[in-house]
Short mmCIF file of all heavy atoms in Angstrom, two decimals:
data_model
loop_
_atom_site.label_atom_id
_atom_site.label_comp_id
_atom_site.label_asym_id
_atom_site.label_seq_id
_atom_site.Cartn_x
_atom_site.Cartn_y
_atom_site.Cartn_z
N MET Y 1 87.93 141.70 19.64
CA MET Y 1 89.26 141.14 19.84
C MET Y 1 89.58 140.17 18.71
O MET Y 1 88.68 139.55 18.15
CB MET Y 1 89.31 140.45 21.20
CG MET Y 1 90.69 140.28 21.72
SD MET Y 1 91.56 141.84 21.65
CE MET Y 1 92.52 141.85 23.03
N TYR Y 2 90.83 140.00 18.44
CA TYR Y 2 91.28 139.15 17.35
C TYR Y 2 91.84 137.83 17.88
O TYR Y 2 92.45 137.79 18.94
CB TYR Y 2 92.37 139.85 16.53
CG TYR Y 2 91.90 141.09 15.85
CD1 TYR Y 2 92.13 142.34 16.39
CD2 TYR Y 2 91.21 141.02 14.65
CE1 TYR Y 2 91.70 143.50 15.75
CE2 TYR Y 2 90.78 142.17 14.00
CZ TYR Y 2 91.02 143.40 14.56
OH TYR Y 2 90.60 144.52 13.92
N ASN Y 3 91.63 136.76 17.11
CA ASN Y 3 92.21 135.46 17.43
C ASN Y 3 93.43 135.25 16.53
O ASN Y 3 93.30 134.83 15.38
CB ASN Y 3 91.17 134.35 17.21
CG ASN Y 3 91.74 132.98 17.49
OD1 ASN Y 3 92.88 132.84 17.90
ND2 ASN Y 3 90.94 131.97 17.25
N ALA Y 4 94.60 135.55 17.04
CA ALA Y 4 95.83 135.49 16.25
C ALA Y 4 96.13 134.10 15.72
O ALA Y 4 96.81 133.96 14.70
CB ALA Y 4 97.01 136.00 17.07
N ASP Y 5 95.64 133.07 16.37
CA ASP Y 5 95.91 131.71 15.92
C ASP Y 5 95.25 131.40 14.58
O ASP Y 5 95.67 130.50 13.86
CB ASP Y 5 95.43 130.69 16.95
CG ASP Y 5 96.23 130.76 18.24
OD1 ASP Y 5 97.41 131.16 18.19
OD2 ASP Y 5 95.68 130.41 19.29
N SER Y 6 94.22 132.15 14.24
CA SER Y 6 93.51 131.90 12.99
C SER Y 6 94.09 132.69 11.81
O SER Y 6 93.67 132.50 10.68
CB SER Y 6 92.02 132.25 13.14
OG SER Y 6 91.87 133.64 13.33
N PHE Y 7 95.07 133.54 12.06
CA PHE Y 7 95.65 134.36 11.00
C PHE Y 7 96.68 133.57 10.19
O PHE Y 7 97.32 132.66 10.70
CB PHE Y 7 96.35 135.59 11.56
CG PHE Y 7 95.44 136.56 12.26
CD1 PHE Y 7 95.95 137.51 13.10
CD2 PHE Y 7 94.07 136.52 12.08
CE1 PHE Y 7 95.13 138.42 13.74
CE2 PHE Y 7 93.23 137.42 12.72
CZ PHE Y 7 93.78 138.37 13.56
N ASN Y 8 96.84 133.97 8.95
CA ASN Y 8 97.86 133.40 8.07
C ASN Y 8 99.11 134.29 8.17
O ASN Y 8 99.27 135.23 7.40
CB ASN Y 8 97.33 133.34 6.64
CG ASN Y 8 98.32 132.70 5.69
OD1 ASN Y 8 99.21 131.98 6.11
ND2 ASN Y 8 98.17 132.99 4.42
N TRP Y 9 99.96 133.99 9.13
CA TRP Y 9 101.14 134.82 9.39
C TRP Y 9 102.21 134.60 8.33
O TRP Y 9 102.44 133.47 7.91
CB TRP Y 9 101.71 134.51 10.77
CG TRP Y 9 100.81 134.96 11.87
CD1 TRP Y 9 99.93 134.20 12.56
CD2 TRP Y 9 100.68 136.29 12.37
NE1 TRP Y 9 99.26 134.96 13.47
CE2 TRP Y 9 99.69 136.25 13.38
CE3 TRP Y 9 101.29 137.50 12.07
CZ2 TRP Y 9 99.32 137.39 14.10
CZ3 TRP Y 9 100.90 138.63 12.78
CH2 TRP Y 9 99.94 138.56 13.77
N ARG Y 10 102.86 135.69 7.93
CA ARG Y 10 103.95 135.61 6.94
C ARG Y 10 105.17 136.32 7.49
O ARG Y 10 105.05 137.28 8.26
CB ARG Y 10 103.53 136.29 5.64
CG ARG Y 10 102.34 135.65 4.99
CD ARG Y 10 101.97 136.31 3.70
NE ARG Y 10 101.64 137.71 3.95
CZ ARG Y 10 101.54 138.64 3.02
NH1 ARG Y 10 101.75 138.34 1.76
NH2 ARG Y 10 101.21 139.88 3.32
N ARG Y 11 106.32 135.84 7.07
CA ARG Y 11 107.57 136.52 7.43
C ARG Y 11 108.48 136.51 6.22
O ARG Y 11 108.28 135.74 5.28
CB ARG Y 11 108.24 135.87 8.63
CG ARG Y 11 108.76 134.47 8.37
CD ARG Y 11 109.59 133.94 9.51
NE ARG Y 11 108.76 133.54 10.62
CZ ARG Y 11 109.16 132.82 11.64
NH1 ARG Y 11 110.40 132.43 11.70
NH2 ARG Y 11 108.35 132.49 12.60
N SER Y 12 109.49 137.33 6.26
CA SER Y 12 110.41 137.44 5.14
C SER Y 12 111.14 136.12 4.89
O SER Y 12 111.49 135.41 5.83
CB SER Y 12 111.44 138.54 5.44
OG SER Y 12 112.47 138.52 4.48
N SER Y 13 111.38 135.85 3.63
CA SER Y 13 112.17 134.66 3.29
C SER Y 13 113.62 134.83 3.73
O SER Y 13 114.37 133.87 3.78
CB SER Y 13 112.10 134.38 1.79
OG SER Y 13 112.60 135.49 1.07
N ARG Y 14 114.00 136.05 4.05
CA ARG Y 14 115.37 136.33 4.52
C ARG Y 14 115.53 136.13 6.01
O ARG Y 14 116.61 136.29 6.55
CB ARG Y 14 115.76 137.75 4.15
CG ARG Y 14 115.84 137.95 2.67
CD ARG Y 14 116.25 139.34 2.33
NE ARG Y 14 116.29 139.51 0.89
CZ ARG Y 14 116.64 140.61 0.29
NH1 ARG Y 14 116.97 141.66 1.00
NH2 ARG Y 14 116.65 140.69 -1.01
N CYS Y 15 114.48 135.79 6.68
CA CYS Y 15 114.52 135.57 8.12
C CYS Y 15 115.20 134.23 8.38
O CYS Y 15 114.64 133.18 8.08
CB CYS Y 15 113.11 135.57 8.70
SG CYS Y 15 113.11 135.21 10.45
N GLU Y 16 116.38 134.29 8.95
CA GLU Y 16 117.14 133.07 9.19
C GLU Y 16 117.32 132.77 10.68
O GLU Y 16 117.65 131.66 11.05
CB GLU Y 16 118.50 133.17 8.52
CG GLU Y 16 118.40 133.29 7.01
CD GLU Y 16 119.75 133.54 6.35
OE1 GLU Y 16 120.77 133.58 7.05
OE2 GLU Y 16 119.76 133.70 5.12
N THR Y 17 117.09 133.77 11.52
CA THR Y 17 117.37 133.60 12.95
C THR Y 17 116.16 133.14 13.74
O THR Y 17 116.30 132.70 14.87
CB THR Y 17 117.85 134.93 13.56
OG1 THR Y 17 116.79 135.88 13.47
CG2 THR Y 17 119.08 135.45 12.85
N GLY Y 18 114.98 133.28 13.18
CA GLY Y 18 113.77 132.97 13.91
C GLY Y 18 113.24 134.16 14.69
O GLY Y 18 112.14 134.14 15.20
N ALA Y 19 114.05 135.22 14.80
CA ALA Y 19 113.62 136.46 15.46
C ALA Y 19 113.20 137.44 14.37
O ALA Y 19 113.98 138.25 13.91
CB ALA Y 19 114.77 137.03 16.29
N CYS Y 20 111.95 137.34 13.95
CA CYS Y 20 111.49 138.09 12.79
C CYS Y 20 110.18 138.81 13.06
O CYS Y 20 109.43 138.44 13.95
CB CYS Y 20 111.26 137.14 11.62
SG CYS Y 20 112.70 136.15 11.25
N VAL Y 21 109.93 139.81 12.26
CA VAL Y 21 108.63 140.46 12.26
C VAL Y 21 107.71 139.64 11.37
O VAL Y 21 108.10 139.24 10.28
CB VAL Y 21 108.74 141.91 11.73
CG1 VAL Y 21 107.37 142.54 11.56
CG2 VAL Y 21 109.62 142.75 12.65
N GLU Y 22 106.51 139.39 11.85
CA GLU Y 22 105.52 138.66 11.06
C GLU Y 22 104.31 139.56 10.85
O GLU Y 22 103.97 140.37 11.72
CB GLU Y 22 105.07 137.39 11.79
CG GLU Y 22 106.19 136.40 11.99
CD GLU Y 22 105.74 135.16 12.75
OE1 GLU Y 22 104.94 135.28 13.69
OE2 GLU Y 22 106.21 134.08 12.40
N ILE Y 23 103.67 139.40 9.69
CA ILE Y 23 102.46 140.16 9.41
C ILE Y 23 101.34 139.23 8.96
O ILE Y 23 101.60 138.13 8.47
CB ILE Y 23 102.68 141.24 8.33
CG1 ILE Y 23 103.01 140.61 6.98
CG2 ILE Y 23 103.74 142.24 8.76
CD1 ILE Y 23 102.83 141.55 5.82
N ALA Y 24 100.12 139.69 9.16
CA ALA Y 24 98.94 138.95 8.70
C ALA Y 24 97.87 139.98 8.31
O ALA Y 24 97.70 140.99 8.99
CB ALA Y 24 98.41 138.04 9.79
N ILE Y 25 97.21 139.71 7.20
CA ILE Y 25 96.08 140.53 6.80
C ILE Y 25 94.86 140.04 7.57
O ILE Y 25 94.59 138.84 7.61
CB ILE Y 25 95.83 140.42 5.28
CG1 ILE Y 25 97.10 140.72 4.49
CG2 ILE Y 25 94.67 141.32 4.85
CD1 ILE Y 25 97.71 142.07 4.73
N VAL Y 26 94.15 140.96 8.21
CA VAL Y 26 93.00 140.59 9.01
C VAL Y 26 91.75 141.31 8.49
O VAL Y 26 91.87 142.29 7.76
CB VAL Y 26 93.24 140.88 10.52
CG1 VAL Y 26 94.41 140.10 11.03
CG2 VAL Y 26 93.46 142.36 10.77
N PRO Y 27 90.57 140.83 8.84
CA PRO Y 27 89.34 141.44 8.34
C PRO Y 27 89.26 142.94 8.66
O PRO Y 27 89.79 143.41 9.66
CB PRO Y 27 88.24 140.68 9.08
CG PRO Y 27 88.86 139.36 9.42
CD PRO Y 27 90.30 139.67 9.68
N GLY Y 28 88.58 143.66 7.79
CA GLY Y 28 88.39 145.08 8.01
C GLY Y 28 89.51 145.94 7.47
O GLY Y 28 89.76 147.03 7.99
N ASN Y 29 90.25 145.44 6.45
CA ASN Y 29 91.38 146.17 5.88
C ASN Y 29 92.39 146.55 6.95
O ASN Y 29 92.81 147.68 7.08
CB ASN Y 29 90.90 147.42 5.12
CG ASN Y 29 92.03 148.08 4.35
OD1 ASN Y 29 92.93 147.40 3.86
ND2 ASN Y 29 91.99 149.39 4.24
N ARG Y 30 92.77 145.56 7.74
CA ARG Y 30 93.75 145.76 8.81
C ARG Y 30 94.91 144.79 8.65
O ARG Y 30 94.80 143.78 7.98
CB ARG Y 30 93.10 145.57 10.17
CG ARG Y 30 91.96 146.55 10.41
CD ARG Y 30 91.67 146.68 11.87
NE ARG Y 30 90.67 147.69 12.15
CZ ARG Y 30 90.89 149.00 12.16
NH1 ARG Y 30 92.07 149.46 11.89
NH2 ARG Y 30 89.92 149.84 12.44
N VAL Y 31 96.01 145.16 9.30
CA VAL Y 31 97.22 144.33 9.26
C VAL Y 31 97.68 144.11 10.70
O VAL Y 31 97.78 145.06 11.48
CB VAL Y 31 98.34 145.03 8.45
CG1 VAL Y 31 99.61 144.19 8.45
CG2 VAL Y 31 97.89 145.32 7.03
N ALA Y 32 97.93 142.86 11.04
CA ALA Y 32 98.47 142.52 12.36
C ALA Y 32 99.98 142.34 12.22
O ALA Y 32 100.47 141.78 11.24
CB ALA Y 32 97.84 141.24 12.87
N ILE Y 33 100.71 142.83 13.21
CA ILE Y 33 102.17 142.78 13.21
C ILE Y 33 102.61 142.21 14.56
O ILE Y 33 102.09 142.61 15.61
CB ILE Y 33 102.78 144.18 13.02
CG1 ILE Y 33 102.22 144.83 11.76
CG2 ILE Y 33 104.30 144.11 12.98
CD1 ILE Y 33 102.51 146.32 11.65
N ARG Y 34 103.57 141.27 14.52
CA ARG Y 34 104.06 140.71 15.77
C ARG Y 34 105.52 140.29 15.64
O ARG Y 34 106.07 140.17 14.55
CB ARG Y 34 103.22 139.51 16.20
CG ARG Y 34 103.42 138.29 15.34
CD ARG Y 34 102.55 137.15 15.81
NE ARG Y 34 102.80 135.93 15.03
CZ ARG Y 34 102.16 134.80 15.21
NH1 ARG Y 34 101.23 134.71 16.14
NH2 ARG Y 34 102.44 133.75 14.46
N ASN Y 35 106.13 140.03 16.77
CA ASN Y 35 107.48 139.51 16.86
C ASN Y 35 107.36 137.99 16.93
O ASN Y 35 106.66 137.47 17.79
CB ASN Y 35 108.15 140.07 18.12
CG ASN Y 35 109.55 139.53 18.36
OD1 ASN Y 35 109.93 138.48 17.86
ND2 ASN Y 35 110.31 140.25 19.15
N SER Y 36 108.05 137.27 16.06
CA SER Y 36 107.92 135.81 16.03
C SER Y 36 108.38 135.15 17.33
O SER Y 36 107.96 134.04 17.63
CB SER Y 36 108.71 135.24 14.85
OG SER Y 36 110.08 135.51 14.98
N GLN Y 37 109.22 135.84 18.11
CA GLN Y 37 109.67 135.25 19.37
C GLN Y 37 108.70 135.52 20.52
O GLN Y 37 108.83 134.93 21.58
CB GLN Y 37 111.06 135.78 19.73
CG GLN Y 37 112.13 135.26 18.81
CD GLN Y 37 113.51 135.58 19.31
OE1 GLN Y 37 113.76 136.66 19.81
NE2 GLN Y 37 114.41 134.63 19.17
N LYS Y 38 107.76 136.41 20.30
CA LYS Y 38 106.76 136.71 21.31
C LYS Y 38 105.40 136.85 20.63
O LYS Y 38 104.82 137.93 20.59
CB LYS Y 38 107.13 137.99 22.05
CG LYS Y 38 106.52 138.12 23.38
CD LYS Y 38 107.18 139.22 24.17
CE LYS Y 38 106.56 139.23 25.56
NZ LYS Y 38 107.00 140.40 26.30
N PRO Y 39 104.89 135.76 20.05
CA PRO Y 39 103.71 135.83 19.20
C PRO Y 39 102.42 136.23 19.91
O PRO Y 39 101.46 136.61 19.25
CB PRO Y 39 103.60 134.42 18.62
CG PRO Y 39 104.35 133.56 19.56
CD PRO Y 39 105.43 134.41 20.15
N SER Y 40 102.39 136.19 21.22
CA SER Y 40 101.16 136.58 21.91
C SER Y 40 100.95 138.09 21.91
O SER Y 40 99.84 138.56 22.12
CB SER Y 40 101.16 136.06 23.35
OG SER Y 40 102.26 136.61 24.06
N ASP Y 41 102.02 138.84 21.67
CA ASP Y 41 101.92 140.30 21.59
C ASP Y 41 101.84 140.71 20.13
O ASP Y 41 102.70 140.36 19.33
CB ASP Y 41 103.15 140.96 22.22
CG ASP Y 41 103.24 140.71 23.71
OD1 ASP Y 41 102.22 140.35 24.31
OD2 ASP Y 41 104.34 140.89 24.26
N MET Y 42 100.80 141.45 19.79
CA MET Y 42 100.67 141.92 18.41
C MET Y 42 100.03 143.30 18.40
O MET Y 42 99.38 143.70 19.36
CB MET Y 42 99.88 140.96 17.55
CG MET Y 42 98.43 140.88 17.87
SD MET Y 42 97.56 139.81 16.72
CE MET Y 42 95.93 139.89 17.42
N VAL Y 43 100.23 143.98 17.30
CA VAL Y 43 99.63 145.29 17.06
C VAL Y 43 98.79 145.14 15.80
O VAL Y 43 99.24 144.53 14.83
CB VAL Y 43 100.72 146.36 16.86
CG1 VAL Y 43 100.12 147.69 16.48
CG2 VAL Y 43 101.59 146.47 18.09
N VAL Y 44 97.59 145.69 15.81
CA VAL Y 44 96.74 145.68 14.63
C VAL Y 44 96.53 147.13 14.20
O VAL Y 44 96.12 147.97 15.00
CB VAL Y 44 95.38 145.01 14.92
CG1 VAL Y 44 94.50 145.03 13.68
CG2 VAL Y 44 95.59 143.57 15.39
N ILE Y 45 96.87 147.41 12.94
CA ILE Y 45 96.74 148.76 12.39
C ILE Y 45 95.96 148.70 11.08
O ILE Y 45 95.79 147.62 10.50
CB ILE Y 45 98.12 149.42 12.17
CG1 ILE Y 45 98.98 148.61 11.19
CG2 ILE Y 45 98.84 149.61 13.50
CD1 ILE Y 45 100.32 149.24 10.86
N SER Y 46 95.53 149.84 10.61
CA SER Y 46 94.79 149.87 9.35
C SER Y 46 95.73 149.60 8.19
O SER Y 46 96.96 149.79 8.30
CB SER Y 46 94.11 151.23 9.16
OG SER Y 46 95.06 152.22 8.84
N GLY Y 47 95.17 149.19 7.08
CA GLY Y 47 95.98 148.98 5.88
C GLY Y 47 96.68 150.25 5.44
O GLY Y 47 97.82 150.23 4.97
N THR Y 48 96.02 151.40 5.61
CA THR Y 48 96.60 152.70 5.26
C THR Y 48 97.81 153.00 6.14
O THR Y 48 98.86 153.44 5.65
CB THR Y 48 95.55 153.82 5.39
OG1 THR Y 48 94.44 153.50 4.56
CG2 THR Y 48 96.13 155.17 5.03
N GLU Y 49 97.67 152.78 7.44
CA GLU Y 49 98.79 153.00 8.36
C GLU Y 49 99.96 152.08 8.03
O GLU Y 49 101.12 152.49 8.08
CB GLU Y 49 98.35 152.77 9.81
CG GLU Y 49 97.39 153.80 10.32
CD GLU Y 49 96.82 153.43 11.68
OE1 GLU Y 49 96.37 152.28 11.85
OE2 GLU Y 49 96.82 154.30 12.55
N TYR Y 50 99.65 150.84 7.69
CA TYR Y 50 100.70 149.89 7.33
C TYR Y 50 101.45 150.37 6.09
O TYR Y 50 102.67 150.34 6.06
CB TYR Y 50 100.09 148.50 7.09
CG TYR Y 50 101.11 147.48 6.65
CD1 TYR Y 50 102.02 146.96 7.56
CD2 TYR Y 50 101.19 147.06 5.33
CE1 TYR Y 50 102.97 146.03 7.18
CE2 TYR Y 50 102.13 146.13 4.94
CZ TYR Y 50 103.02 145.62 5.86
OH TYR Y 50 103.97 144.71 5.46
N GLN Y 51 100.72 150.82 5.08
CA GLN Y 51 101.36 151.30 3.86
C GLN Y 51 102.24 152.52 4.13
O GLN Y 51 103.34 152.62 3.60
CB GLN Y 51 100.32 151.63 2.77
CG GLN Y 51 100.95 151.90 1.42
CD GLN Y 51 101.76 150.71 0.92
OE1 GLN Y 51 101.27 149.62 0.83
NE2 GLN Y 51 103.03 150.95 0.59
N ARG Y 52 101.78 153.42 4.98
CA ARG Y 52 102.60 154.58 5.36
C ARG Y 52 103.88 154.14 6.04
O ARG Y 52 104.95 154.70 5.82
CB ARG Y 52 101.81 155.51 6.27
CG ARG Y 52 100.81 156.34 5.56
CD ARG Y 52 100.24 157.40 6.52
NE ARG Y 52 99.00 157.88 5.97
CZ ARG Y 52 97.89 158.06 6.65
NH1 ARG Y 52 97.86 157.81 7.94
NH2 ARG Y 52 96.80 158.50 6.07
N TRP Y 53 103.77 153.16 6.92
CA TRP Y 53 104.94 152.65 7.64
C TRP Y 53 105.93 152.05 6.65
O TRP Y 53 107.12 152.33 6.72
CB TRP Y 53 104.49 151.63 8.68
CG TRP Y 53 105.60 151.00 9.45
CD1 TRP Y 53 106.57 151.62 10.17
CD2 TRP Y 53 105.87 149.60 9.57
NE1 TRP Y 53 107.41 150.71 10.74
CE2 TRP Y 53 107.00 149.46 10.37
CE3 TRP Y 53 105.26 148.46 9.06
CZ2 TRP Y 53 107.55 148.22 10.70
CZ3 TRP Y 53 105.79 147.23 9.41
CH2 TRP Y 53 106.91 147.12 10.21
N ILE Y 54 105.45 151.21 5.74
CA ILE Y 54 106.33 150.59 4.74
C ILE Y 54 106.99 151.66 3.88
O ILE Y 54 108.20 151.61 3.62
CB ILE Y 54 105.54 149.58 3.86
CG1 ILE Y 54 105.09 148.39 4.70
CG2 ILE Y 54 106.35 149.14 2.65
CD1 ILE Y 54 106.22 147.59 5.32
N ASP Y 55 106.22 152.65 3.43
CA ASP Y 55 106.77 153.73 2.61
C ASP Y 55 107.85 154.50 3.36
O ASP Y 55 108.83 154.94 2.75
CB ASP Y 55 105.67 154.69 2.15
CG ASP Y 55 104.73 154.07 1.13
OD1 ASP Y 55 105.09 153.01 0.54
OD2 ASP Y 55 103.64 154.62 0.93
N SER Y 56 107.70 154.66 4.66
CA SER Y 56 108.69 155.41 5.45
C SER Y 56 110.01 154.64 5.57
O SER Y 56 111.05 155.24 5.87
CB SER Y 56 108.15 155.73 6.82
OG SER Y 56 108.14 154.59 7.66
N LEU Y 57 109.97 153.34 5.37
CA LEU Y 57 111.19 152.52 5.48
C LEU Y 57 111.99 152.49 4.19
O LEU Y 57 113.14 152.06 4.20
CB LEU Y 57 110.81 151.09 5.87
CG LEU Y 57 110.10 150.93 7.20
CD1 LEU Y 57 109.65 149.49 7.39
CD2 LEU Y 57 110.96 151.39 8.34
N LYS Y 58 111.40 152.93 3.11
CA LYS Y 58 112.08 152.89 1.81
C LYS Y 58 113.07 154.01 1.66
O LYS Y 58 112.99 155.04 2.21
CB LYS Y 58 111.06 152.96 0.68
CG LYS Y 58 110.17 151.74 0.64
CD LYS Y 58 109.16 151.86 -0.46
CE LYS Y 58 108.24 150.65 -0.48
NZ LYS Y 58 107.20 150.76 -1.48
#
């Protein structure tokens, strides 16, 4: 299990509302993703899956 409080969470500099997606790089080539308004809920995926997701948004 992961301790989300120890992660270095980042969000876009364009986030002005406080309702943002946050990401953190975690051990094991993984990326944690969460909603800043509900930080206790997060998804952890592999770095490869994260890159595929980002590429699909372009």
Side-chain angles (χ1 to χ4, degrees):
M1 201 50 144
Y2 297 99
N3 178 3
D5 293 333
S6 67
F7 296 162
N8 182 21
W9 291 98
R10 299 181 299 166
R11 67 172 76 167
S12 170
S13 60
R14 295 181 181 181
C15 177
E16 297 174 3
T17 64
C20 305
V21 172
E22 297 178 322
I23 65 162
I25 307 302
V26 299
N29 189 33
R30 300 200 175 282
V31 178
I33 305 167
R34 71 181 184 182
N35 177 339
S36 63
Q37 290 190 320
K38 202 166 184 189
S40 61
D41 294 341
M42 70 175 177
V43 175
V44 179
I45 60 176
S46 73
T48 303
E49 291 172 312
Y50 178 74
Q51 190 59 55
R52 283 189 199 135
W53 178 55
I54 293 299
D55 290 344
S56 75
L57 299 174
K58 295 178 181 177

